Amino acid sequence: MGLADVFFYLFSALTVGSGLMVISARNPVHAVMFLILAFINAAGLFILLGAEFLAMLLVIVYVGAVAVLFLFVVMMLDIDFAELRAGYMKYFPLGALIGFVVLGELVALFGAWNVEKGHRAIPAVPIPDPAKLPNTEAIGRVLYTDYVFYFEAVGIILLTAMIGAIVLTWRQRDVAKRQNVAEQVARTPAMSVEVRKVETGKGI
Amino acid sequence: MPDFFWTTIWPWIIWTPVLTTIQSLAILVPLLVMIAYIIYADRKIWAAVQLRRGPNVVGPWGLLQSFADMAKFLFKEPIIPSGSNKILFLLAPLITAFVTIAVWAVVPVGAGWPADENSSWVVANLNVGILYVLAISSLEVYGIIIGGWASNSKYPFLSALRSAGQMISYEVSIGFVIVTVLLCVGSLNLTDIVLAQRTGLANWLGIPWLTVLNWFWLPLFPMFIVFFISALAETNRPPFDLPEAESELVAGFMVEYSSSLYMLFMLGEYLAVTFMCAMTTILFLGGWLPPVDVWFLNWIPGVVWFVLKVWGVFFMFAMVKAFVPRYRYDQLMRLGWKIFLPLSLTAVVAVASVLHFFDLAP
């Protein structure tokens, strides 16, 4: 057993373990922390596969942005988790059923997958030698040539989602006080301060 | 069995970890000593601007002040609030310190030795160096959020929320500024970024000895300024130190922390500041390259130039702290999202267009 195998079992055990903790932790903040641990270990698995670009992207996008938002929401919302857990047993049989169906399908699929030893799946695009071409460049070369339309379509879908979220949450309220920065910057002493001579014992 | 020892155990279990540990210590020990003097310099510069003396009692000219402070932090009693979430409360400063130290693994500090032109002094020479930097520094925000939340107190929590918003906002513009540099380099490796600055505008202008013009600060000038200001915001330095604005939030997310836990936060903060100075040096100021191509300057080791440049950038950080009054939170968000984001996005398109249409792309 080489060193890579040791790390594979370490990372995958930690991923599965923290995945279980995500759904079983009592405190929602702890659950998000375990989710982050799962993401980081999954990034470790990507590095073992030689996909360092994907590993870094996983950390940047999921740990650096998505999980921060999760944490934000979980910390801000005052959710009564005892109440949420009250319905746990009611939904458990349905959840377990769906879980078993998915598990059964996966077992059927991978059990029947007969791969000849030493044979590899045929990729749609030839995989370049990682020693010659860093995988950032390799991904860039296919993403911006063969798959450029899909890539742009994804961009447009994300933009639509972003605009949709802004439109749904935007409401103009008259009571809200807003800063007009241009007005503030343009303010001069002559517009805002008046110097008066005040005689002793008299007001203005 | 001896074969197995020499092919697997010796290189992977013994030699590599030992070598990596030695390399890590070689960068960490000088770094931590430098942090002690960076803190001292910060206080001295701030004091000089305000016509005060600053720390001047411990050691000659107060040079040992930071070490005295460290001893004080270590020997004080750590107080953990009874209402806090103990595990996360203790974890937060550890995350901050760990992350800010880990990011130094990819920083190339000097030219390759012996005299190998295309290598550098660096612990881990990653192909995806810049992505590693972005990934690890995006974890920095966790130390603050968790610290603020686990304290179970109002000011730290408000500070954590502010800080999360601020750091995520400015990561966006920092990312785009880095993209403009990467477009000019054609590699994500930090060593390659420095090496790409050996030739450039000075050669094009016909004055190749003035290598200071080769560095990216000149061709990408507006982005250099955007990066500098974003770096201030990203590291919560004044004038963007809203997470710890003492007039509003006492001391922000650190209110409940004391003794060595507080010291870890402090250490992490200054390590992050120094790292941002190092990134400015690598991306825009030519890393370890000498500013003028003269024989006696080329003879000085690259690491000396690197440290000098980091100190130079830190001097600007310290001066900004002394000069500029604190921003309001809405002004900070406006600057990040309405000014820097469109500006840096336009710069990415402009730089890419210039490189493409004038056929300059590497």
Side-chain angles (χ1 to χ4, degrees):
Chain A
M1 201 167 75
L3 205 61
D5 293 335
V6 175
F7 277 103
F8 171 76
Y9 286 113
L10 178 73
F11 287 142
S12 39
L14 279 170
T15 311
V16 174
S18 44
L20 283 173
M21 288 305 289
V22 173
I23 53 173
S24 61
R26 290 201 166 273
N27 189 329
V29 174
H30 291 179
V32 177
M33 299 306 294
F34 279 112
L35 186 67
I36 293 163
L37 189 63
F39 283 146
I40 289 176
N41 282 297
L45 289 173
F46 271 128
I47 286 179
L48 287 180
L49 281 173
E52 73 264 11
F53 181 71
L54 283 180
M56 292 302 152
L57 230 52
L58 186 72
V59 176
I60 294 173
V61 175
Y62 282 91
V63 182
V66 175
V68 173
L69 291 181
F70 279 1
L71 208 57
F72 222 83
V73 172
V74 166
M75 284 176 177
M76 296 271 278
L77 295 180
D78 187 23
I79 309 170
D80 187 0
F81 276 82
E83 200 177 297
L84 274 183
R85 279 181 189 277
Y88 183 73
M89 284 317 289
K90 205 169 78 182
Y91 297 113
F92 181 75
L94 187 65
L97 185 70
I98 293 173
F100 276 113
V101 168
V102 173
L103 182 69
E105 282 175 348
L106 284 177
V107 168
L109 181 67
F110 285 101
W113 198 328
N114 199 354
V115 182
E116 207 179 316
K117 219 173 181 192
H119 232 81
R120 302 177 72 176
I122 301 162
V125 179
I127 298 170
D129 182 8
K132 285 181 191 144
L133 196 62
N135 61 52
T136 315
E137 205 178 327
I139 289 175
R141 281 194 181 171
V142 285
L143 200 59
Y144 294 107
T145 53
D146 296 357
Y147 299 108
V148 65
F149 292 117
Y150 303 102
F151 184 71
E152 292 193 341
V154 168
I156 289 169
I157 291 170
L158 286 174
L159 183 67
T160 315
M162 195 168 88
I163 294 171
I166 294 170
V167 168
L168 284 176
T169 53
W170 171 261
R171 53 187 176 139
Q172 188 92 46
R173 287 187 303 173
D174 296 334
V175 286
K177 288 181 178 166
R178 293 184 187 285
Q179 308 283 351
N180 185 346
V181 175
E183 206 172 84
Q184 290 175 351
V185 171
R187 217 167 74 129
T188 58
M191 287 163 67
S192 45
V193 184
E194 190 181 352
V195 182
R196 289 208 192 170
K197 189 101 181 149
V198 182
E199 282 177 46
T200 318
K202 292 181 182 173
I204 292 175
Chain B
M1 191 60 199
D3 276 352
F4 180 69
F5 177 81
W6 286 114
T7 55
T8 305
I9 294 185
W10 172 254
W12 296 113
I13 313 241
I14 300 172
W15 177 237
T16 311
V18 168
L19 184 69
T20 312
T21 311
I22 293 171
Q23 283 175 329
S24 309
L25 286 178
I27 195 163
L28 276 183
V29 174
L31 179 67
L32 292 176
V33 173
M34 193 168 126
I35 293 295
Y37 286 101
I38 286 258
I39 294 175
Y40 170 75
D42 198 20
R43 297 171 69 176
K44 271 289 191 193
I45 292 167
W46 201 9
V49 172
Q50 298 178 343
L51 301 180
R52 292 184 288 115
R53 285 182 192 280
N56 64 347
V57 175
V58 188
W61 306 289
L63 278 172
L64 301 176
Q65 180 68 44
S66 299
F67 298 99
D69 285 345
M70 189 188 76
K72 192 182 96 172
F73 284 134
L74 285 178
F75 290 119
K76 280 212 165 188
E77 181 195 357
I79 298 165
I80 301 175
S82 57
S84 68
N85 187 324
K86 284 196 187 52
I87 300 170
L88 290 181
F89 187 81
L90 295 174
L91 194 65
L94 288 177
I95 291 177
T96 304
F98 170 77
V99 162
T100 45
I101 288 174
V103 81
W104 281 88
V106 292
V107 176
V109 293
W113 185 81
D116 180 3
E117 290 254 303
N118 294 314
S119 69
S120 60
W121 285 0
V122 56
V123 177
N125 194 10
L126 293 188
N127 274 333
V128 286
I130 279 284
L131 289 178
Y132 175 85
V133 167
L134 289 175
I136 298 292
S137 46
S138 69
L139 300 180
E140 272 169 35
V141 68
Y142 282 107
I144 294 177
I145 304 187
I146 295 170
W149 183 79
S151 302
N152 197 9
S153 165
K154 286 187 186 62
Y155 284 145
F157 187 59
L158 284 173
S159 156
L161 295 181
R162 276 187 176 192
S163 169
Q166 175 178 340
M167 289 175 88
I168 290 178
S169 305
Y170 280 84
E171 246 164 47
V172 179
S173 57
I174 282 196
F176 280 121
V177 172
I178 289 177
V179 168
T180 60
V181 175
L182 295 181
L183 284 171
C184 300
V185 177
S187 166
L188 296 176
N189 188 316
L190 287 167
T191 306
D192 288 347
I193 292 173
V194 174
L195 293 178
Q197 300 179 50
R198 285 186 300 191
T199 57
L201 217 56
N203 294 45
W204 188 70
L205 290 172
I207 35 174
W209 55 271
L210 199 60
T211 48
V212 64
L213 299 181
N214 277 333
W215 305 341
F216 286 141
W217 65 272
L218 190 58
L220 300 174
F221 185 73
M223 290 302 102
F224 176 51
I225 302 297
V226 170
F227 186 84
F228 180 74
I229 297 173
S230 301
L232 290 173
E234 183 70 15
T235 51
N236 297 327
R237 282 285 293 186
F240 305 113
D241 59 340
L242 289 155
E244 41 198 288
E246 61 269 11
S247 52
E248 301 155 26
L249 295 175
V250 191
F253 57 94
M254 300 187 208
V255 169
E256 306 290 346
Y257 282 90
S258 54
S259 85
S260 43
L261 298 173
Y262 173 79
M263 190 186 72
L264 285 177
F265 266 132
M266 188 84 171
L267 180 72
E269 193 177 318
Y270 275 90
L271 273 167
V273 169
T274 316
F275 176 73
M276 274 301 171
C277 297
M279 279 303 284
T280 314
T281 306
I282 289 167
L283 292 173
F284 293 102
L285 299 176
W288 63 80
L289 303 172
V292 184
D293 191 9
V294 190
W295 64 270
F296 64 88
L297 292 184
N298 290 336
W299 187 74
I300 296 173
V303 65
V304 175
W305 288 120
F306 185 81
V307 171
L308 279 177
K309 285 174 191 175
V310 169
W311 274 100
V313 179
F314 181 75
F315 180 71
M316 293 204 287
F317 267 64
M319 290 303 260
V320 169
K321 178 179 181 173
F323 287 163
V324 185
R326 184 177 290 132
Y327 262 54
R328 219 168 49 207
Y329 196 69
D330 65 304
Q331 291 172 329
L332 174 88
M333 282 295 157
R334 177 176 167 272
L335 186 69
W337 289 106
K338 291 190 178 170
I339 298 175
F340 282 175
L341 181 63
L343 192 66
S344 52
L345 204 54
T346 317
V348 170
V349 176
V351 170
S353 308
V354 167
L355 291 176
H356 182 72
F357 290 114
F358 291 88
D359 208 18
L360 297 165

